[in-house]
Amino acid sequence: MTGGESDRFHERLRAFEGRPAATAGRGKDAVNEAMIRHWCEAMGDTSPAYTGPDAIAPPTMLQAWTMGGLSGHTDRSSAYDELLALLDDQGCTSVVATDCEQEYLRPLRPGDEVTFDAVIESVSPRKTTKLGTGHFVTTRMNVRANGEPAGIHRFRILKYAPAARPERGREARPLPERGHSGAPSRPRPVINRDNQGFWDGVREHKLLIQRCTACATPRFPWLPGCNACSSPDWDTVEASGAGTVFSYVVMHHPPFPAFTAHEDPAEAGGPYAVALVELAEGVRMISNITGVPYDKVRIGLPVQLEFLRVDDSLELPVFRGEAG
Ligand code: ZN
């Protein structure tokens, strides 16, 4: 597609902006304790806000109350189907959900009847991603409880033409980015506003654990709120660095050179252990074990924090096992 054709196609797609994606939707069930309990069990969320006579539903359940289940909804608009068909015709036959954003306007409580409407909010210009080239389609769902605005759920998909995959063994395959050791670079951690402080600590060789200032419960990984009491207020404690292996797995396949032993090049490409380490402070984190061969890692193995310089721009907290 030339640039001009691409612009004209985007104009046709943009004509769908503002048109309905779903109208007069109705939740299949009223907000109810059973679904709230199942959600909390699946998420491991023990907050007392979600049980008892004054229970509210976890805010992130917003979309759950609007889902059609296997039998689907009958309220999907013809405009949304037409938009998807137009993209199909242009070869954008694959779809992947990329992200969602939610805004909460009022808590949902058992008994609330949920209704909603959704609109096609935006269709992006043509974009090329690792998956392929296509368009992001964002829908905005306005969710109501007993007729009052309760929240907004934005949902984004990428409708795309899959990128051709190089055949196995062909030299055309792009080479992965390499670290200074010649091995492929490790994937970078995803740093966001919720965990920025943790990675700031790592830079100073501190392993920082969040601690709820309301109920003193420590937590890891970093989260915006306390799972025990829901308080958003927290400070940090620096881990002593002492811990034990709580559980572990040994990765055999597929070989992933970026994750093989850095200390002993002879082991490059070989199996490696991924451990769940229980820190003395009571939280657990997933990390690598150094100083002990992968087949000598055991549950209960005492370990001590150290920082592994992986490459010029990446340093990671890992745990040194006491060999013996
Ligand atoms: Zn707390």
Side-chain angles (χ1 to χ4, degrees), residues 50-304:
Y50 309 139
T51 56
D54 299 321
I56 61 166
T60 47
M61 283 188 80
L62 187 65
Q63 187 194 18
W65 307 113
T66 70
M67 292 178 117
L70 288 178
S71 57
H73 273 296
T74 51
D75 41 59
R76 190 153 119 171
S77 76
S78 57
Y80 195 67
D81 288 338
E82 284 167 33
L83 171 60
L84 297 187
L86 188 57
L87 286 159
D88 281 337
D89 288 346
Q90 287 292 323
C92 296
T93 51
S94 294
V95 64
V96 61
T98 58
D99 62 295
C100 73
E101 296 164 29
Q102 295 184 329
E103 294 172 39
Y104 310 117
L105 305 174
R106 86 134 165 90
L108 290 168
R109 294 194 164 80
D112 285 344
E113 296 283 348
V114 170
T115 53
F116 56 92
D117 291 289
V119 65
I120 300 166
E121 188 170 66
S122 64
V123 186
S124 80
R126 193 159 170 253
K127 302 270 188 191
T128 296
T129 72
K130 277 185 181 171
L131 288 172
T133 296
H135 298 264
F136 289 94
V137 178
T138 305
T139 51
R140 186 187 71 240
M141 181 186 282
N142 297 307
V143 181
R144 294 174 298 270
N146 303 332
E148 292 173 37
I152 297 168
H153 176 74
R154 278 192 180 77
F155 189 69
R156 194 166 294 116
I157 61 168
L158 173 65
K159 191 86 173 107
Y160 66 100
R165 291 190 184 184
E167 283 172 40
R168 201 177 270 267
R170 286 271 185 88
E171 285 178 32
R173 192 198 302 244
L175 290 170
E177 188 191 334
R178 303 245 153 204
H180 56 61
S181 64
S185 292
R186 277 221 202 184
R188 307 289 106 168
V190 175
I191 299 175
N192 56 38
R193 64 184 172 184
D194 291 335
N195 68 11
Q196 176 76 49
F198 173 76
W199 292 103
D200 290 346
V202 168
R203 267 207 308 280
E204 296 171 18
H205 285 193
K206 292 178 181 171
L207 185 67
L208 298 179
I209 299 167
Q210 277 178 309
R211 179 178 54 190
C212 174
T213 49
C215 75
T217 303
R219 65 178 183 263
F220 191 90
W222 282 40
L223 292 168
C226 176
N227 270 349
C229 78
S230 298
S231 169
D233 300 319
W234 51 272
D235 59 8
T236 58
V237 284
E238 184 180 349
S240 68
T244 53
V245 172
F246 182 81
S247 185
Y248 66 96
V249 293
V250 174
M251 290 296 294
H252 291 269
H253 285 286
F256 191 177
F259 279 91
T260 51
H262 292 260
E263 297 171 295
D264 181 0
E267 289 189 27
Y272 58 96
V274 179
L276 181 62
V277 172
E278 184 160 274
L279 300 178
E281 290 75 15
V283 297
R284 296 173 192 156
M285 69 178 284
I286 293 170
S287 186
N288 290 121
I289 303 296
T290 54
V292 175
Y294 72 88
D295 57 355
K296 293 287 187 285
V297 174
R298 290 289 178 268
I299 289 171
L301 180 75
V303 293
Q304 183 64 40

